Structures are given as structure tokens and as C-alpha cells.
Amino acid sequence: MIAFEHLTVRYRTAQKEKNKTTVLDDISLTVPQGTVCAIIGPSGCGKSTLLKAAAGLIKPAEGNVRLDERALDPKKDCIGFMPQNYGLLPWQTVRENIVLGCRIRKNWQDGREADEARLQGLAQKLHIEDLLSRYPRQLSGGQQQRVSLARSFLLRPDILLMDEPFSALDAITREEMQDVFLTLWQEQHVTTILVTHYVEEALYLGQKIVVMGAKPGRIVRVFENPLSGSSEKRSTQEFFTMGRNLREEIRRISRGEEA
């Protein structure tokens, strides 16, 4: 379980400014163990900032982030982070990029049978077993995304933070990668927070959906989503109606009309 407790983040918008802008205001949210929480809202509402605070990249002005009833510690806890640009190092091969996180955590050893078996198993599931010696520049966007997913799931993190990971892909590839993610997630059930600006993606992947508002960033609504993870329900009238309502709510929030 990951919990945000009265989290407030402030920063200066310019170096010469004395006053700080409140980016996130009194965020309290609990994501149960082994679930996917999708965060959606208008641009500028602090979605990515919330992920960075969870990853320990930003120090909050107030409040804290807890993991299983204790303060989250990025030095001790294993955190998987997937940025929008996939986070691949261009001078390293696909194989080197995949094992990078494990090497940083010092839980990888080249040639160790169990480690190599896990790597090969993930590569096969993601259909990148023939790409391990290539470099990121030699891959398509979808292939780079598969490498990023392989690195995250090879790590077996305590929590996985995903910042609009599929946004740079075309619509068809994006849907394919959503299914790939679900297949891997169903094996590990890692607690995941997914930031997205696609309504359908939030409905398909998020068991819990958080709608945020801006200026300052705050939680407007949280609801459980019974439609997540089902490709059959994705084509139903219920899914379409829920997506339309969620999209309209985000428009109202953008116009400052929420209650």
C-alpha cells in the first residue's frame, strides 16, 4: 500500500521570485497493495509532480508518503519509474538498459542462471528477445516501450510509477502496449500509479481512478472502476458512457466549474 498524507508541494516559478507557488495542495490518497491507480486531470494539475514526490525526487513542503505504514525511503524501497521518454540510455544496448535498474539495486549478476532466465523470460513475453544487442536508436517507439517495461518488471519493484508512458505512441500501438502492461502486471500485481491524459486508458487500466484539478493541484474525485482490465467491457455501452461522463467532468474542472 502506498499512501499520500496531506501532501503539499511548493516551488518558485523563477529564481528571482521570493514567493513559492503551491503546486499540490493537501493531497491525501491511499492506493491499496497490488492495484493500479490511474490519475487523470487537466494539464497543469500536478499529476507528474505527484509521481516525482512519490519517487523521492521532490521534497514536499508538508505531509509525507508512506509505504506499508512506514515512511517511503527511496534509498531502501525499490521504486520503478517509467518516464514519458522511456528513460533508455542511448549508449547502452537493449540488454544493458533492461538490467540497469537491477544493477543499481545490486541484485543482478551477469551469468547467474536465475537472473539470466528471468531476463530471457521477460524478453520472450515482450517479443524483444532478438533485439537485446541493439541500441535504442535502432528501435521503434513501441519496441522502446517494451524495453522500458522489461526493465521495470525485471526489477520487481515495491511500487511502479508510470508518467504517461504510452502517450508518444500511435493509437493502435498504445492499445497493444496497454495489453502488454496488463499481462505483466497480472503476474506480479505490483502496486502501480499511472498518470495519463487519455480517458479510455484510465478506464481500461485503473482499478481506482483519481481526478485532479489545478491551481493548485488537488484531488477532486476518487472512484473505484469496475471496468478495468477487461477487453470485453472496453467495447460496451457502459464503458463508452463512463468515458463520456469522465471526459465531461474533466472539461468542467478545466473551466473551474467543479463543486
Side-chain angles (χ1 to χ4, degrees):
M1 178 190 75
I2 181 170
F4 301 87
E5 299 178 341
H6 303 289
L7 192 77
T8 297
V9 174
R10 301 186 182 96
Y11 64 68
R12 291 185 178 89
T13 55
Q15 289 185 346
K16 294 183 179 180
E17 289 186 7
K18 295 182 179 180
N19 297 325
K20 292 185 177 182
T21 299
T22 299
V23 183
L24 295 175
D25 184 32
D26 195 24
I27 299 290
S28 291
L29 172 69
T30 298
V31 181
Q33 177 69 31
T35 62
V36 179
C37 175
I39 299 179
I40 194 166
S43 297
C45 67
K47 300 184 296 293
S48 296
T49 300
L50 184 63
L51 281 196
K52 291 176 182 177
L57 301 176
I58 293 177
K59 186 177 180 180
E62 299 172 17
N64 56 70
V65 184
R66 303 185 68 82
L67 179 65
D68 298 332
E69 305 303 329
R70 58 180 175 77
L72 188 147
D73 185 349
K75 295 182 179 179
K76 297 179 180 178
D77 298 312
C78 188
I79 302 172
F81 190 93
M82 290 181 60
Q84 296 180 35
N85 64 356
Y86 316 130
L88 304 182
L89 302 181
W91 60 87
Q92 293 199 335
T93 65
V94 166
R95 185 184 189 280
E96 291 168 335
N97 269 288
I98 292 174
V99 304
L100 178 63
C102 288
R103 283 187 170 137
I104 292 174
R105 299 291 302 182
K106 298 181 179 178
N107 60 0
W108 174 269
Q109 182 177 321
D110 287 324
R112 186 161 57 192
E113 186 174 347
D115 289 347
E116 295 294 341
R118 283 203 299 126
L119 171 59
Q120 291 299 324
L122 265 176
Q124 290 173 5
K125 291 174 184 176
L126 290 164
H127 304 293
I128 56 174
E129 66 270 26
D130 296 330
L131 307 178
L132 296 178
S133 61
R134 294 189 187 181
Y135 290 87
R137 66 178 179 275
Q138 299 172 307
L139 307 179
S140 67
Q143 289 170 333
Q144 290 185 50
Q145 183 60 73
R146 290 172 186 266
V147 174
S148 184
L149 282 169
R151 179 167 64 192
S152 295
F153 281 93
L154 185 70
L155 189 60
R156 291 178 176 171
D158 298 312
I159 59 171
L160 176 57
L161 309 173
M162 306 174 73
D163 191 1
E164 299 190 25
F166 311 125
S167 62
L169 305 175
D170 63 82
I172 300 300
T173 305
R174 184 166 62 244
E175 290 184 2
E176 290 176 354
M177 293 311 303
Q178 291 166 4
D179 288 332
V180 169
F181 163 75
L182 276 178
T183 298
L184 295 176
W185 177 84
Q186 286 165 356
E187 294 180 0
Q188 294 190 18
H189 287 280
V190 57
T191 306
T192 302
I193 300 178
L194 165 72
V195 164
T196 180
H197 61 267
Y198 293 102
V199 168
E200 286 75 17
E201 184 167 272
L203 288 173
Y204 186 46
L205 299 181
Q207 296 159 330
K208 179 192 290 283
I209 296 180
V210 175
V211 183
M212 292 185 63
K215 299 180 180 180
R218 65 209 181 281
I219 293 177
V220 176
R221 184 185 175 200
V222 179
F223 64 93
E224 303 300 320
N225 174 26
L227 306 179
S228 66
S230 173
S231 57
E232 292 79 12
K233 292 181 179 179
R234 196 172 193 173
S235 58
T236 63
Q237 181 63 37
E238 183 182 11
F239 191 97
F240 173 79
T241 300
M242 200 169 187
R244 182 186 60 195
N245 293 341
L246 181 55
R247 189 174 284 106
E248 181 55 34
E249 181 165 5
I250 293 172
R251 290 195 186 101
R252 289 198 301 269
I253 292 171
S254 298
R255 297 193 296 261
E257 297 175 2
E258 78 275 13

